[in-house]
Amino acid sequence: KGGVTNTPVVHRWAMLRAAVGEDARLVADDREVRRGGVSYTVETLEDFRREFPSDWLCLLVGADTAVDFPCWRDYDRIRELAAVRVLTRAGREMPPEVAPAEVVRVPDVPVSATAVRRRVGRGEAIDQMVPPPVAEYIHRHGLYRAVDEGAGC
């Protein structure tokens, strides 16, 4: 899809750890990184179900991702393993193909991964768009400097 970069997993994993930081409420789980190669959501949810057999599992996906949900590997099994919730910004309607997942509305925040990559590519600050440790990591490693301005939405 437009705007998607091929940022190596080592960087994506490091940025996730930086974003989670010291927040005791959050855990950066590396099972998909350790699995290597292509990783499917259904495999990860099956791992969680084995590890937490009696817990309620919720899969929270963005509205842009949810549109393709029926094309995901074993999407019916995913719905058996976890409650699927679609995160959408206020004032935006969900396409009918996403139903019957429950929608979780959040305030409209003008931040997207594409916007972050574009700003970095133009040499603009992203400090207000991502947590400071993530901005620092992106700058230190020179990520997203060459971004195609025509890519994305």
Side-chain angles (χ1 to χ4, degrees), residues 41-60:
T41 300
V42 69
E43 296 167 337
T44 302
L45 289 173
E46 286 174 338
D47 283 353
F48 281 132
R49 180 54 60 216
R50 282 188 293 275
E51 194 172 331
F52 307 103
S54 60
D55 287 355
W56 181 76
L57 298 179
C58 178
L59 175 65
L60 184 62

Side-chain angles (χ1 to χ4, degrees), residues 16-117:
L16 174 63
R17 285 193 331 263
V20 167
E22 302 297 319
D23 191 327
R25 300 169 298 169
L26 303 173
V27 174
D29 186 285
D30 70 346
R31 74 186 68 223
E32 291 184 350
V33 175
R34 285 183 285 120
R35 189 178 293 138
V38 176
S39 184
Y40 294 100
T41 300
V42 69
E43 296 167 337
T44 302
L45 289 173
E46 286 174 338
D47 283 353
F48 281 132
R49 180 54 60 216
R50 282 188 293 275
E51 194 172 331
F52 307 103
S54 60
D55 287 355
W56 181 76
L57 298 179
C58 178
L59 175 65
L60 184 62
V61 298
D64 55 338
T65 301
V67 172
D68 295 328
F69 184 63
C71 300
W72 290 19
R73 178 176 291 225
D74 298 326
Y75 85 98
D76 285 328
R77 177 73 177 134
I78 291 171
R79 293 171 64 143
E80 291 172 10
L81 292 165
V84 177
R85 300 295 184 260
V86 179
L87 188 67
T88 187
R89 295 178 178 174
R92 298 202 181 145
E93 293 303 315
M94 289 301 306
E97 53 274 29
V98 174
E102 185 173 319
V103 172
V104 178
R105 302 240 183 240
V106 295
D108 195 8
V109 179
V111 175
S112 70
T114 300
V116 169
R117 289 190 297 268

